[in-house]
Amino acid sequence: MTMMTKAAPRPLAAPMGRKVLTTLPAALVKVVTQWQTRRRSRIALSHLSDFHLRDIGLDSMIRDQEIGRPFWK
């Protein structure tokens, strides 16, 4: 007969520690940076001529859809 040992239960959620508090600002900076990049890219896209859009494989309808999207999407 084998003896089984019971493992200690794990907590359901990690306690708020220094790691969480230091990663939260970094995550926020990352998200805001992504938003700024999307905004700048869409502004640049809105200034492209039909010739340049065709050159990168887009048309004006796709451009209008993309520049109409909110920065968080």
Side-chain angles (χ1 to χ4, degrees), residues 16-33:
M16 288 287 285
R18 289 184 185 189
K19 184 176 181 181
V20 172
L21 294 177
T22 57
T23 57
L24 187 61
L28 183 61
V29 167
K30 183 179 177 181
V31 169
V32 171
T33 301

